[in-house]
Amino acid sequence: MISLSSRNWYRFTLLLIGFLIGSFVIKYFISIEKETLFSRGRFVGILETTIPKEKETLFKLYDGVETFVMFIGYPRSSHSLLAAILDAHPEIIIPNEYDVIEHWEKYRSSRLTEKNMQKYVLFDDLHQHSMKQAMFGIRAGNNTSLTTGYHYNIPGLWQGGYQRRIKVIGDKKGDKTALDLTSSMRVLEEINQVAQVPMKFIHVTRNPFDNISTMMLLATESRDTVREEGVKINKSTELERAIKNYFQMAASNQRVRERYGDAVIDIPGHETVIRPKETLQRLCDHLGVTCSEDYFEKCSRILYGAPSVARDKVVWTEEQKARVTKMTKNYTFLKDYSFDEYPN
Ligand SMILES: *[C@@H]1O[C@H](CO)[C@@H](O)[C@H](O)[C@H]1NC(C)=O
Ligand SMILES: *[C@@H]1O[C@H](CO)[C@@H](O)[C@H](O)[C@H]1NC(C)=O
Ligand SMILES: *[C@@H]1O[C@H](CO)[C@@H](O)[C@H](O)[C@H]1NC(C)=O
Ligand SMILES: *[C@@H]1O[C@H](CO)[C@@H](O)[C@H](O)[C@H]1NC(C)=O
Ligand SMILES: CC(=O)N[C@H]1CO[C@H](CO)[C@@H](O)[C@@H]1O
């Protein structure tokens, strides 16, 4: 009797495993198919390949979205980290690097506008990207190709997916964002119209002296040179250029804030490491979602390390320091930083 029932269990388990493998394989082929459709340049996302009932579910899912979020400004690793953390929230979808602005032509096509499908296809694209990155990209648990020293995988949360509903969806774009914004504030308005929900912005700031110094070091390809203790780069013309570029971008961030007011939140980059919980709480409040202790606890594990102090690796004249200090006073999000104090 006992042996019989344990054999039944054995069979049942085998069956279950078979079923799981089967559905995984089917899912895999569906995703391959989707991939092919994508790469042929036809924007046929999941919305146009799924059966009507599932489609209905997706429409409902995307109609439940309450906020569209974007990042402005750029310090890289902080943005990637914050985006990875927000994507791990049970109600938030933010792919690492879709770049809505870069892809915007697609959502202007008459094919989508006629059918009133822009919003659904946009949200679906972001959702698909988030899923892909959680499986195969920098947020994958098995990704070993990362050289930045940061991990973007948060086990036990919702990267690439959601629990019951998607309340917030958005994009974390690449370095070009602020430059793009300069020329295309109009695109933001269009995105807002398509998304049909309020827009929110996340602006991660960093000590301008470090930021400008890093830009100069990148431009002169000196980042490896300065790894050596005590080495400083003395290139005044290059530093001037970096100062000029930096304030152009600051001005474009300023314009977003003038237009969108309280919808922009400033997150000083170093705060994410020094006070992870408080910083995440501010972000959750800003985006209108509740965040559990479990979420804070799991996310805090990937927030560590101190941002580098690049300003010490570059020769600044007193005049340059004074001028930049004066210029920062024009921007609320920069005015508290100084050359001599830690916050970076
Ligand atoms: C990484 O893990 C995902 C599942 O989390 C899997 O689909 C993928 O094939 C894995 N990639 C490698 C290279 O092992
Ligand atoms: C790791 O992430 C990088 C960047 O997205 C990607 O190019 C690479 O294929 C990923 N590797 C794995 C094993 O997922
Ligand atoms: C940097 O270079 C200028 C000349 O271009 C020189 O006058 C100055 O002393 C140098 N400063 C340092 C700290 O090396
Ligand atoms: C501050 O902004 C005002 C108005 O945009 C401008 O006229 C002024 O030159 C700026 N000052 C500095 C120090 O950048
Ligand atoms: C390293 C770093 O933070 N660099 C950023 C400084 O800010 C400019 C624009 O404000 C970005 O282009 C850099 O990526």
Side-chain angles (χ1 to χ4, degrees):
M1 183 70 186
I2 285 169
S3 80
L4 187 73
S5 87
S6 77
R7 202 150 77 207
N8 275 344
W9 269 112
Y10 182 63
R11 278 199 195 139
F12 175 71
T13 314
L14 270 188
L15 208 71
L16 188 68
I17 290 173
F19 171 73
L20 287 176
I21 291 176
S23 49
F24 189 80
V25 166
I26 289 169
K27 256 191 141 157
Y28 181 72
F29 278 109
I30 288 176
S31 73
I32 296 251
E33 169 76 347
K34 240 185 281 146
E35 190 67 43
T36 329
L37 291 171
F38 257 117
S39 55
R40 278 190 208 134
R42 293 202 269 138
F43 31 82
V44 190
I46 199 168
L47 275 171
E48 292 174 61
T49 55
T50 43
I51 53 170
K53 192 157 165 275
E54 245 177 86
K55 215 189 250 184
E56 211 46 50
T57 314
L58 281 174
F59 279 137
K60 251 170 97 180
L61 176 69
Y62 297 144
D63 279 334
V65 170
E66 293 175 358
T67 303
F68 192 88
V69 65
M70 290 175 85
F71 282 75
I72 59 173
Y74 341 43
R76 302 162 193 202
S77 40
S78 299
H79 273 192
S80 304
L81 275 173
L82 282 186
I85 283 174
L86 291 175
D87 193 57
H89 188 278
E91 297 175 332
I92 303 180
I93 298 284
I94 302 185
N96 181 50
E97 200 113 322
Y98 178 62
D99 205 340
V100 182
I101 293 182
E102 177 88 10
H103 286 90
W104 194 245
E105 263 326 297
K106 167 174 168 178
Y107 306 97
R108 282 177 170 152
S109 87
S110 56
R111 192 167 159 265
L112 293 184
T113 48
E114 275 158 21
K115 289 198 225 154
N116 236 338
M117 285 287 286
Q118 303 115 292
K119 177 179 98 172
Y120 300 109
V121 174
L122 171 63
F123 288 4
D124 199 47
D125 286 342
L126 292 164
H127 190 182
Q128 298 289 320
H129 263 75
S130 156
M131 263 157 74
K132 255 191 251 175
Q133 281 154 357
M135 274 203 271
F136 308 109
I138 62 168
R139 295 171 186 167
N142 49 10
N143 198 315
T144 49
S145 66
L146 295 171
T147 51
T148 60
Y150 282 105
H151 288 281
Y152 301 102
N153 175 255
I154 308 171
L157 289 175
W158 298 91
Q159 278 175 323
Y162 59 94
Q163 189 175 22
R164 274 183 288 272
R165 58 172 292 195
I166 302 174
K167 220 167 164 180
V168 177
I169 197 163
D171 188 21
K172 177 246 145 184
K173 288 148 283 125
D175 292 354
K176 286 181 286 134
T177 311
L179 277 184
D180 285 345
L181 290 183
T182 317
S183 55
S184 38
M185 279 291 286
R186 233 189 77 217
V187 174
L188 285 187
E189 302 289 332
E190 287 184 29
I191 294 174
N192 204 162
Q193 274 166 21
V194 163
Q196 298 165 22
V197 289
M199 300 261 270
K200 296 264 170 85
F201 297 88
I202 298 171
H203 182 206
V204 184
T205 61
R206 185 181 175 204
N207 187 310
F209 293 99
D210 288 324
N211 195 287
I212 293 167
S213 301
T214 307
M215 288 166 76
M216 187 270 226
L217 293 175
L218 282 170
T220 57
E221 297 179 353
S222 318
R223 295 238 287 184
D224 288 331
T225 317
V226 298
R227 275 187 226 289
E228 212 174 300
E229 201 54 43
V231 175
K232 281 193 184 203
I233 305 296
N234 184 6
K235 288 185 178 162
S236 195
T237 322
E238 302 293 348
L239 189 56
E240 282 305 320
R241 192 168 300 147
I243 294 173
K244 190 165 157 257
N245 288 340
Y246 178 83
F247 281 102
Q248 264 172 11
M249 302 188 212
S252 99
N253 291 339
Q254 182 69 18
R255 272 198 291 283
V256 175
R257 128 189 350 260
E258 277 159 12
R259 164 67 183 80
Y260 291 94
D262 285 349
V264 184
I265 188 176
D266 292 316
I267 301 286
H270 61 282
E271 293 280 334
T272 56
V273 176
I274 301 172
R275 276 177 281 276
K277 193 180 157 185
E278 288 84 340
T279 310
L280 290 180
Q281 184 64 63
R282 279 185 67 215
L283 272 170
C284 292
D285 292 345
H286 184 63
L287 298 177
V289 293
T290 49
C291 295
S292 66
E293 278 304 319
D294 181 54
Y295 174 76
F296 288 135
E297 204 261 319
K298 285 178 173 145
C299 291
S300 298
R301 286 186 211 155
I302 69 164
L303 291 169
Y304 53 81
S308 66
V309 187
R311 75 196 99 139
D312 294 342
K313 298 294 184 183
V314 167
V315 175
W316 288 78
T317 65
E318 289 308 319
E319 189 277 323
Q320 282 168 325
K321 283 191 215 171
R323 176 154 40 92
V324 168
T325 302
K326 195 159 159 245
M327 286 167 89
T328 59
K329 301 301 175 216
N330 255 1
Y331 301 95
T332 47
F333 51 94
L334 296 177
K335 67 177 176 33
D336 294 332
Y337 289 109
S338 82
F339 190 91
D340 298 311
E341 269 159 59
Y342 168 69
N344 52 12

